[in-house]
């Protein structure tokens, strides 16, 4: 028998189904496939030895009670060493024991759950919002709370199935370690007769161990890790696919950020190995948060630093302090508790947006001419654009100094040029995407933009953006280059 006849795609075979008590038996609310199954079934994401295989992973919409059900038409009879994949053996490390009861018992437990009707998520209600005429609530609780831990244990398999290189969290740790974690849940609040909630997403944040200040002589038992000045780190952020692109991610991220700003013990919000989609969400949320403050302080590039234009004299170095209000920017960054590299991206994006599009590459400006004229260009927006490129290049150069030093001068210049162009293209994508969402429905330069979306292309790869001394919850396999 040819191998291919008995192999199937594990992502297709695995169905994730959300169920809810129905009239007489649980009904399906949504079904979707995973994005990844390599942590469970290996790099090829193939399962051998079954025909018509369906692995159905059910979750109750309210308390996430899990269940695994496996069905198939035919199973390969072992020949020598070749046998069908041991499905339960592969799944067991990822799902709680309670998921392995028989289907009838599971359905009965969901259908007759006395708590389903009035289910309240564990932890504290931190924020409520409406979207598309539906009500949603964000709840947050410490991982030291057994009810939070139970929900997380039940749903953690989704981290392996939807976040590349994401690994489930060890929840058997001692309580002081668990206290460092806060888990956020977003639930849709639904009306009777099927009251309770439907989980939309979950997210874990961690009080980073890079605690910044300890009392001089701590007394045993008097310190709570979660109350020490620290960074808050978003570790894993997951929205069920049926709810993507509805703004839930932005609501949650903004709520976490607001709680950071309000908490005097938190100095900065960071993110662990964000992927490209999360970066897009974070960039647009941070931009919307900071933009009013930038506008209030009239942050812009001075097109004539040290009178360079009037004197027609080129400053020997990039005169950062004369080009942008560095002190103001520092204070905005500290007040909004945004991590330094992320803040630099938002500032660059904002400053780019203040230059009318016709004076930017995206609007067809004549770059070759500008590179001849440089700071002596007649038009002040051309000069702004010239200085924008210099500021961005300066940041990129500092960040990748070692990598660039290995290149010949000519290659170094070319690499930096390519990178700045790719960074700029990335900003243009976000600026375009934000166009309709900004209050004035125009970009910050006051001109309309095209709304075009493209894939980001970045050339110089980041080393680790965040503090490397921190332990990580997963080994990144394919880290998105971010500069
Ligand atoms: C730290 C980490 O955990 S990194 C891993 C992040 N998690 C995952 O990748 C798991 C699977 N994916 C998800 O859970 C979700 O798709 C998320 C968290 C990435 C995004 O959540 P959503 O609720 O869909 O985001 P939301 O609707 O708020 O989108 C906000 C903006 O982010 C950007 N964005 C979000 N998803 C995408 C995407 N797939 N492609 C491009 N842009 C995106 C867009 O600008 C979007 O605004 P728009 O829809 O008006 O254009």
């Amino acid at each position: 028998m040819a191998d291919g006849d008995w192999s199937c795609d594990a992502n297709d075979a695995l169905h994730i189904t959300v169920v809810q008590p129905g009239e007489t038996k649980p009904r399906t609310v949504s079904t979707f496939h995973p994005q990844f199954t390599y942590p469970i079934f290996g790099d090829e994401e193939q399962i051998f030895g079954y025909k018509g295989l369906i692995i159905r992973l059910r979750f109750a919409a309210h308390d996430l009670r899990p269940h695994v059900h496996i069905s198939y038409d035919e199973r390969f009879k072992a020949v020598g060493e070749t046998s069908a994949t041991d499905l339960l053996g592969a799944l067991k490390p990822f799902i709680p024991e309670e998921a392995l009861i028989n289907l009838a018992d599971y359905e009965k437990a969901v259908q007759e759950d006395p708590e389903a009707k009035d289910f309240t998520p564990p932890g504290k209600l931190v924020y409520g919002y409406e979207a598309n005429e539906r009500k949603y609530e964000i709840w947050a609780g410490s991982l030291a709370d057994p009810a939070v831990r139970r929900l997380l244990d039940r749903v953690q398999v989704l981290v392996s199935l939807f976040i590349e290189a994401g690994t489930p969290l060890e929840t058997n740790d001692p309580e002081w370690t668990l206290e460092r974690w806060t888990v956020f849940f977003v639930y849709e609040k639904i009306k009777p007769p099927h009251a309770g909630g439907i989980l939309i997403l979950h997210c874990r944040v961690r009080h980073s161990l890079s605690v910044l200040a300890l009392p001089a002589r701590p007394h045993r038992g008097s310190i709570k890790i979660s109350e020490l000045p620290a960074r808050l780190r978003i570790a894993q952020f997951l929205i069920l696919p049926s709810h993507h692109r509805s703004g839930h991610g932005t609501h949650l991220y903004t709520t976490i950020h607001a709680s950071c700003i309000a908490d005097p013990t938190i100095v900065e919000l960071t993110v662990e190995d964000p992927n490209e989609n999360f970066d897009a969400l974070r960039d647009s949320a941070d931009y919307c948060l900071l933009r009013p403050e930038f506008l209030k302080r009239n942050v812009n590039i001075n097109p004539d630093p040290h009178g360079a234009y009037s004197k027609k004299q080129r400053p020997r170095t990039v005169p950062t302090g004369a080009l942008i209000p560095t002190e103001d920017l520092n204070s905005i960054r500290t007040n909004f508790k945004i991590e330094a590299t992320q803040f630099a991206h938002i500032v660059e994006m904002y400053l780019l947006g203040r230059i009318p599009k016709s004076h930017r590459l995206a609007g067809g400006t004549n770059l070759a001419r500008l590179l001849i004229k440089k700071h002596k260009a007649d038009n002040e927006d051309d000069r702004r654009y010239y200085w924008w490129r210099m500021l961005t290049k300066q940041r990129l150069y500092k960040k990748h100094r070692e990598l660039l030093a290995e290149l010949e001068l000519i290659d170094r210049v070319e690499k930096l040029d390519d990178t700045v162009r790719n960074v700029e293209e990335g900003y243009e994508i976000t600026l375009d995407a934000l166009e309709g969402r900004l209050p004035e429905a125009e970009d910050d330069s006051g001109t309309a933009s095209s709304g075009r979306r493209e894939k980001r292309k970045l050339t110089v790869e980041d080393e680790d953006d965040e503090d490397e001394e921190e332990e990580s919850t997963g080994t990144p396999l394919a880290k998105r280059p971010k500069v």
Side-chain angles (χ1 to χ4, degrees), residues 363-421:
T365 198
N366 187 336
L367 191 58
R369 199 177 59 197
L370 183 62
L371 293 181
I372 294 168
K373 288 260 184 184
K374 298 191 163 84
H375 65 287
K376 291 179 281 193
D378 296 331
N379 183 289
E380 66 172 35
D381 285 318
D382 284 340
R383 296 202 299 276
R384 277 200 181 91
Y385 185 53
Y386 167 76
W387 286 119
W388 182 88
R389 294 184 85 250
M390 294 302 282
L391 282 167
T392 308
K393 267 191 194 175
Q394 175 181 246
R395 178 182 68 78
L396 292 169
Y397 180 77
K398 283 185 186 163
K399 196 163 174 66
H400 303 286
R401 196 194 303 263
E402 281 175 24
L403 190 92
L404 290 165
E406 288 168 17
L407 305 176
E408 296 289 327
L409 184 63
I410 187 157
D411 296 336
R412 202 182 304 165
V413 171
E414 196 182 318
K415 187 92 175 166
L416 211 46
D417 261 341
D418 284 354
T419 305
V420 92
R421 194 168 42 250

Side-chain angles (χ1 to χ4, degrees), residues 265-440:
T265 67
I266 302 295
V267 292
E268 204 169 87
L269 177 64
T270 64
V271 181
E272 188 167 305
D273 285 324
N275 63 13
E276 195 161 345
N277 293 345
F278 189 84
D279 270 330
L281 181 163
R282 183 192 194 194
D283 287 353
S284 51
D286 286 348
Y287 185 86
C288 293
L289 179 76
L290 293 175
R291 180 176 174 269
E293 191 65 22
F294 291 158
L295 282 173
K296 198 169 87 192
R297 302 205 197 195
N298 197 20
V299 172
N300 204 350
I301 295 177
N302 172 9
D304 193 11
H306 300 320
Y309 170 63
S310 21
K311 291 188 214 149
K312 303 279 181 191
Q313 206 178 60
R314 185 179 173 191
R316 292 179 67 193
T317 52
V318 181
T320 313
L323 284 167
I324 48 173
T326 42
E327 273 182 31
D328 265 8
L329 289 172
N330 269 337
S331 98
I332 297 173
R333 181 178 100 72
T334 328
N335 293 344
F336 285 86
K337 305 186 179 179
I338 295 182
E339 182 266 329
T341 306
Q342 172 66 5
F343 188 75
H345 292 151
I346 304 299
V347 171
E348 285 166 6
M349 188 157 71
Y350 175 77
L351 293 173
L352 181 69
R354 291 216 70 180
I355 301 166
K357 197 156 190 173
S358 55
H359 295 264
R360 308 183 329 226
L361 205 54
T365 198
N366 187 336
L367 191 58
R369 199 177 59 197
L370 183 62
L371 293 181
I372 294 168
K373 288 260 184 184
K374 298 191 163 84
H375 65 287
K376 291 179 281 193
D378 296 331
N379 183 289
E380 66 172 35
D381 285 318
D382 284 340
R383 296 202 299 276
R384 277 200 181 91
Y385 185 53
Y386 167 76
W387 286 119
W388 182 88
R389 294 184 85 250
M390 294 302 282
L391 282 167
T392 308
K393 267 191 194 175
Q394 175 181 246
R395 178 182 68 78
L396 292 169
Y397 180 77
K398 283 185 186 163
K399 196 163 174 66
H400 303 286
R401 196 194 303 263
E402 281 175 24
L403 190 92
L404 290 165
E406 288 168 17
L407 305 176
E408 296 289 327
L409 184 63
I410 187 157
D411 296 336
R412 202 182 304 165
V413 171
E414 196 182 318
K415 187 92 175 166
L416 211 46
D417 261 341
D418 284 354
T419 305
V420 92
R421 194 168 42 250
N422 289 332
V423 165
E424 185 177 344
E425 282 174 10
Y427 293 153
E428 294 286 1
I429 293 166
T430 311
L431 288 170
D432 279 355
L434 283 167
E435 189 191 337
R437 279 198 246 152
L438 298 174
E440 295 99 65

Side-chain angles (χ1 to χ4, degrees), residues 236-237 239 244-247 249-250 275 277 281 437 453:
Q236 278 163 347
F237 200 102
I239 300 190
H244 282 182
R245 302 305 284 268
S246 305
T250 303
N275 63 13
N277 293 345
L281 181 163
R437 279 198 246 152
R453 281 194 95 136

Side-chain angles (χ1 to χ4, degrees), residues 28 46 48-49 55 104 129 141 149 174 181 202 209 215 220 236 257 271 283 331 356 370 375-376 385 400 423 461:
T28 297
Q46 292 285 310
F48 175 76
I55 303 171
Y129 62 93
R149 222 158 45 234
W181 292 94
H202 92 283
L209 255 195
R220 215 166 230 271
Q236 278 163 347
H257 202 159
V271 181
D283 287 353
S331 98
L370 183 62
H375 65 287
K376 291 179 281 193
Y385 185 53
H400 303 286
V423 165
E461 293 217 0

